Amino acid sequence: MVTEAISESRTGGDFWDGVRLSMPVVVASAPFAILFGAIAVDNGFSVLEAFLMSALIFGGASQMVGIELFGQHVAPWLIVLSIFAVNFRHVLYSAGIGRRIAHWPLLQQALGYFILTDPQFAVAEARAVSGKPVGFVWYLGLGLPVYVFWVIESGLGAVFGKLIPDTHALGIDFLLPIYFLGLVLGFRKRPLWLPVVAASAAASIIAYKTVGSPWHVSIGAVAGVLLAVILPPHHSGIGERP
Amino acid sequence: MSTTFWIILAGAIATYLTRVGGHLVISRFENIHPRVEAGLNAVPAAVLTTLVAPAVLGAGPAEWAALVVTALVSLRGGLMSMFLAGAAVLIIARQFVG
């Protein structure tokens, strides 16, 4: 009984440790959740649909791309493919975090992968590298507040976004490229970053002018990835360690 | 059910596949080829760049000013501060340039 009580209080502590770490993410993602709701309604989504998209997809960049293409009346299958293309980076996170959470029960793993966002991966991976265990309760404490606030704020943005009078003056149509540029620059310390960015930028612009949207995303991405694959692996900082 | 609903549902399934797929594939292999690893490492920069580049090309002075400030702030600040700085410059510049 004593052991049970101790492990229970530890579990609670783990949860709140995770919640504390989630707070910066909750604050930073709030404007984007509200912005998503507002743009979604602006592009023809109902409030319920904006809410559902946040609850079921839970991936900011892909949701923004999805509603942008929806507003341009792109074919539904292309919208889904574009969401998949934008979220394809999660394959990386999934492969990385799998080593840390493979010992969880299957249902917990299934839920863990559902809330695997960029910050979720970064914070969990940092904890694993520091030698601490990545437990389900801690992981849930980190991810659950981000999810709950994301969904609620998306709904709020959808309802109150109509009150924003002049979206052009407020720059809402160009906030996303700024946000994405910020994300691109956040990866700038990775090996081969500049060549990959240059290749992807050139290929996506050419594809945008010739083939058209949204193929420029996939074509540009493939160009950058192929460059990294073709160059000898030591350029990517791989195989340097003995 | 509306077309929008099915887009959301299919998008959700596609997204979940990316979140669980990497683990499912990697756990089948003992070792990852270095070139595959290099390619995977390049994915975030490669994909996100394609969301910026065409927009930059079609933009005007107000947008360019905002992007330059965003890039400069990124050298010191975090994602949030660079986003707020870029957004502020964009809103101010648009009052003058339109």
Side-chain angles (χ1 to χ4, degrees), chain A residues 197-221:
Chain A
V197 166
S200 293
S204 67
I205 287 171
I206 294 168
Y208 188 79
K209 297 268 182 195
T210 54
V211 188
S213 179
W215 289 107
H216 68 283
V217 174
S218 302
I219 292 171

Side-chain angles (χ1 to χ4, degrees), chain B residues 16-91:
Chain B
Y16 191 71
L17 284 177
T18 67
R19 287 188 168 139
V20 77
H23 168 65
L24 293 181
V25 171
I26 293 291
S27 61
R28 298 264 179 292
F29 292 93
E30 287 292 312
N31 292 302
I32 310 165
H33 192 280
R35 286 184 192 273
V36 174
E37 199 181 339
L40 287 175
N41 287 342
V43 166
V47 177
L48 293 167
T49 298
T50 66
L51 302 177
V52 185
V56 175
L57 207 67
E63 291 78 18
W64 289 329
L67 292 173
V68 168
V69 169
T70 304
L72 287 177
V73 174
S74 81
L75 299 176
R76 302 304 292 268
L79 180 62
M80 202 57 203
S81 53
M82 86 176 85
F83 171 73
L84 291 178
V89 170
L90 177 68
I91 292 167

Side-chain angles (χ1 to χ4, degrees), chain A residues 166-173, chain B residues 63 94 98:
Chain A
D166 184 351
T167 52
H168 180 78
L170 289 174
I172 285 181
D173 58 295
Chain B
E63 291 78 18
R94 278 197 175 169

Side-chain angles (χ1 to χ4, degrees), chain A residues 116-154:
Chain A
L116 184 60
T117 57
D118 303 65
Q120 186 78 17
F121 170 73
V123 177
E125 188 67 15
R127 181 177 170 95
V129 168
S130 75
K132 290 179 191 162
V134 178
F136 175 70
V137 171
W138 174 83
Y139 186 95
L140 198 64
L142 175 65
L144 196 59
V146 182
Y147 179 79
V148 169
F149 277 96
W150 178 259
V151 173
I152 290 173
E153 287 158 355
S154 298

Side-chain angles (χ1 to χ4, degrees), chain A:
Chain A
M1 291 306 271
V2 174
T3 353
E4 251 174 44
I6 288 172
S7 84
E8 204 170 274
S9 77
R10 252 193 213 150
T11 303
D14 275 352
F15 182 79
W16 291 108
D17 278 352
V19 169
R20 264 190 293 280
L21 288 169
S22 78
M23 283 303 118
V25 186
V26 168
V27 172
S29 60
F32 299 108
I34 295 167
L35 183 66
F36 163 74
I39 297 178
V41 168
D42 203 42
N43 281 0
F45 268 43
S46 70
V47 172
L48 178 68
E49 286 162 350
F51 177 86
L52 263 183
M53 194 181 201
S54 277
L56 294 180
I57 295 183
F58 188 42
S62 69
Q63 290 177 224
M64 299 286 196
V65 170
I67 49 169
E68 171 68 23
L69 297 176
F70 182 83
Q72 293 173 19
H73 304 290
V74 170
W77 69 274
L78 272 181
I79 299 176
V80 174
L81 189 67
S82 302
I83 290 170
F84 180 76
V86 173
N87 281 330
F88 196 74
R89 67 187 190 281
H90 292 98
V91 170
L92 259 182
Y93 305 153
S94 172
I97 209 70
R99 298 164 292 170
R100 321 295 186 191
I101 68 173
H103 61 282
W104 295 359
L106 206 60
L107 264 180
Q108 294 184 359
Q109 284 192 49
L111 181 61
Y113 285 116
F114 178 73
I115 56 172
L116 184 60
T117 57
D118 303 65
Q120 186 78 17
F121 170 73
V123 177
E125 188 67 15
R127 181 177 170 95
V129 168
S130 75
K132 290 179 191 162
V134 178
F136 175 70
V137 171
W138 174 83
Y139 186 95
L140 198 64
L142 175 65
L144 196 59
V146 182
Y147 179 79
V148 169
F149 277 96
W150 178 259
V151 173
I152 290 173
E153 287 158 355
S154 298
L156 289 177
V159 172
F160 296 108
K162 293 164 193 157
L163 299 180
I164 301 173
D166 184 351
T167 52
H168 180 78
L170 289 174
I172 285 181
D173 58 295
F174 203 72
L175 288 181
L176 280 180
I178 292 174
Y179 172 56
F180 291 135
L181 177 69
L183 287 179
V184 170
L185 292 167
F187 288 103
R188 70 185 179 279
K189 280 173 185 151
R190 285 203 172 179
L192 275 188
W193 178 81
L194 193 58
V196 167
V197 166
S200 293
S204 67
I205 287 171
I206 294 168
Y208 188 79
K209 297 268 182 195
T210 54
V211 188
S213 179
W215 289 107
H216 68 283
V217 174
S218 302
I219 292 171
V222 165
V225 170
L226 269 184
L227 181 75
V229 170
I230 289 166
L231 288 174
H234 69 265
H235 285 293
S236 306
I238 290 166
E240 281 170 351
R241 279 166 293 173

